[in-house]
C-alpha cells in the first residue's frame, strides 16, 4: 500500500478550497433567493442556472480540485483524464440545477426539499467519485465501504440543508452564516471521501499519461474568476424591489395620465389670494381687494 498525503502543501489548499466553497455557496444562495421572487419562467430559469453554476461549479467542483492540488501518492505521479474531469463538473452543475428546479417551483414542502436534497446529494457524490476516477497513477484505487457510505450521507444531508436554506434564507447576515456552514459541509464530504481511499502501487507501471494538475489549474482558475465576476455583475445589474415598484408606478402614469390628474380634483389652498392675482393679466379682470364698502 502506498503512502498517501492529503495536505502536501500544508493548510494552504484546504483553506483555499474552503474559501471557494463559501464564496460559491454565498453567490448561489443569493441567486437562489431570486428564483421564487421571479415574475416569469424565463427569469426563474435564469436565476436557477446561475445558482447551479455558483453552487455546483464553484462551491463543489472547484473546491474539489483545489483540495486535490494537495493530494499526493508516494512513488507515483498523478495525472487526470480531461474528458472525465469535465464530465464531473457537468454532473455537479446539473445535479444542483435539478434540486433547485424541484424546490424553487411550486409550494415549498418537506417532501420537495427531501427529494431535491436526495437527488442533489447523489449528484455531488457522483461528481466526487467521477473526479477520482479521472485520476491516472501507477497503481489501483481502493475504497473503504463504511467511509464511502458516510461521505454519501454527508453529501445528502448537506445538499438537503443547502436547498432548504436556498428557499428560506433572505437576510444578508443569515446568507453569510449559511454559506459558512455549507462550506464546512462540502469540505467535510470531500475529505471524508478522500479518507476512504487507498492506493496499491503496481510493481511495474508504464509512464502515466494525462494532464498534470498544473495544466488544469490555469483554466480552472480562469473559469472560476469568469463565473464569479459574471455572477456578481448579474446580481448588481438585476433590478431591486424598489426599482420594480418605481417602474410599475411610471408605467401606470403613462398608461392613464388623465386618471392621475383626476386623482386630486381639489385645488390647493390659497389663503392670501395669490391665485386671484394671477388673473390680472386677463382682459376684464378686476383688481382683488379686501376693502369692504360701508353700507349706504
Amino acid at each position: 500500500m502506498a503512502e498517501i498525503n492529503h495536505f502536501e502543501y500544508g493548510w494552504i489548499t484546504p483553506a483555499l478550497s474552503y474559501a471557494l466553497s463559501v464564496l460559491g455557496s454565498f453567490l448561489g444562495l443569493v441567486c437562489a433567493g431570486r428564483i421564487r421572487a421571479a415574475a416569469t419562467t424565463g427569469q426563474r430559469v435564469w436565476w436557477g442556472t446561475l445558482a447551479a453554476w455558483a453552487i455546483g461549479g464553484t462551491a463543489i467542483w472547484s473546491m474539489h480540485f483545489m483540495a486535490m492540488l494537495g493530494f499526493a501518492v508516494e512513488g507515483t505521479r498523478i495525472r487526470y483524464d480531461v474528458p472525465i474531469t469535465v464530465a464531473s463538473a457537468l454532473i455537479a452543475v446539473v445535479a444542483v440545477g435539478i434540486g433547485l428546479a424541484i424546490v424553487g417551483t411550486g409550494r415549498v414542502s418537506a417532501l420537495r426539499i427531501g427529494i431535491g436534497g436526495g437527488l442533489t446529494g447523489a449528484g455531488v457524490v457522483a461528481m466526487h467519485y467521477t473526479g477520482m476516477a479521472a485520476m491516472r497513477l501507477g497503481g489501483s484505487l481502493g475504497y473503504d465501504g463504511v467511509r464511502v457510505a458516510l461521505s454519501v450521507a454527508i453529501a445528502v444531508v448537506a445538499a438537503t440543508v443547502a436547498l432548504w436554506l436556498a428557499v428560506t434564507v433572505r437576510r444578508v447576515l443569515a446568507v453569510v452564516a449559511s454559506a459558512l456552514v455549507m462550506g464546512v459541509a462540502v469540505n467535510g464530504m470531500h475529505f471524508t471521501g478522500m479518507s476512504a481511499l487507498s492506493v496499491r502501487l503496481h510493481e511495474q507501471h508504464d509512464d502515466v499519461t494525462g494532464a498534470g494538475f498544473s495544466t488544469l489549474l490555469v483554466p480552472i482558475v480562469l473559469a472560476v474568476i469568469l463565473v464569479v465576476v459574471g455572477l456578481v455583475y448579474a446580481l448588481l445589474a438585476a433590478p431591486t424591489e424598489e426599482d420594480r415598484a418605481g417602474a410599475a408606478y411610471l408605467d401606470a402614469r403613462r398608461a392613464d395620465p388623465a386618471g392621475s390628474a383626476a386623482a386630486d380634483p381639489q385645488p390647493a389652498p390659497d389663503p392670501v389670494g395669490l391665485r386671484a392675482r394671477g388673473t390680472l393679466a386677463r382682459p376684464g379682470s378686476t383688481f382683488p381687494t379686501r376693502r369692504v364698502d360701508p353700507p349706504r
Side-chain angles (χ1 to χ4, degrees):
M1 302 299 291
E3 182 178 348
I4 296 176
N5 187 359
H6 296 285
F7 307 101
E8 187 178 18
Y9 301 104
W11 289 97
I12 296 177
T13 49
L16 290 176
S17 65
Y18 178 72
L20 275 176
S21 61
V22 171
L23 176 61
S25 299
F26 176 79
L27 294 174
L29 288 175
V30 174
C31 292
R34 306 287 181 93
I35 297 176
R36 302 192 69 83
T40 64
T41 302
Q43 291 178 356
R44 286 191 288 271
V45 171
W46 168 250
W47 289 116
T49 303
L50 293 181
W53 274 106
I55 297 176
T58 302
I60 298 174
W61 184 78
S62 298
M63 169 269 147
H64 168 84
F65 276 91
M66 182 56 66
M68 290 301 294
L69 182 62
F71 177 76
V73 178
E74 186 177 347
T76 181
R77 295 190 302 171
I78 297 177
R79 295 291 183 265
Y80 292 90
D81 184 287
V82 175
I84 298 179
T85 300
V86 174
S88 68
L90 296 178
I91 289 173
V93 174
V94 171
V96 174
I98 292 174
L100 289 171
I102 293 174
V103 303
T105 57
R107 185 178 180 182
V108 179
S109 65
L111 179 61
R112 279 179 174 270
I113 294 176
I115 294 174
L119 293 175
T120 304
V124 171
V125 171
M127 180 282 304
H128 176 82
Y129 290 102
T130 301
M132 297 301 295
M135 284 197 311
R136 299 291 179 260
L137 46 77
S140 56
L141 305 182
Y143 292 95
D144 178 77
V146 175
R147 296 188 182 184
V148 169
L150 182 58
S151 70
V152 173
I154 293 174
V156 171
V157 172
T160 304
V161 172
L163 293 179
W164 175 72
L165 293 173
V167 296
T168 56
V169 172
R170 292 294 180 270
R171 297 181 180 274
V172 176
L173 290 178
V175 172
V176 172
S178 302
L180 294 173
V181 173
M182 286 176 61
V184 173
V186 171
N187 281 264
M189 176 268 161
H190 171 83
F191 287 107
T192 300
M194 292 301 296
S195 69
L197 176 67
S198 61
V199 177
R200 183 179 297 276
L201 292 179
H202 298 155
E203 293 184 2
Q204 293 182 350
H205 55 270
D206 298 331
D207 202 17
V208 180
T209 60
F213 203 95
S214 58
T215 305
L216 295 175
L217 185 60
V218 174
I220 288 174
V221 170
L222 290 177
V224 170
I225 292 174
L226 290 176
V227 168
V228 170
V229 171
L231 288 170
V232 171
Y233 177 79
L235 290 171
L236 293 177
T240 62
E241 293 295 334
E242 291 78 6
D243 296 333
R244 284 190 284 267
Y249 173 74
L250 292 177
D251 291 340
R253 290 292 299 268
R254 283 193 294 265
D256 188 16
S260 356
D264 188 15
Q266 298 297 328
D270 187 27
V272 295
L274 292 177
R275 190 176 295 109
R277 292 190 180 94
T279 62
L280 292 178
R282 300 177 185 174
S285 298
T286 58
F287 189 82
T289 179
R290 294 178 180 276
R291 184 170 61 91
V292 179
D293 294 332
R296 297 180 180 178

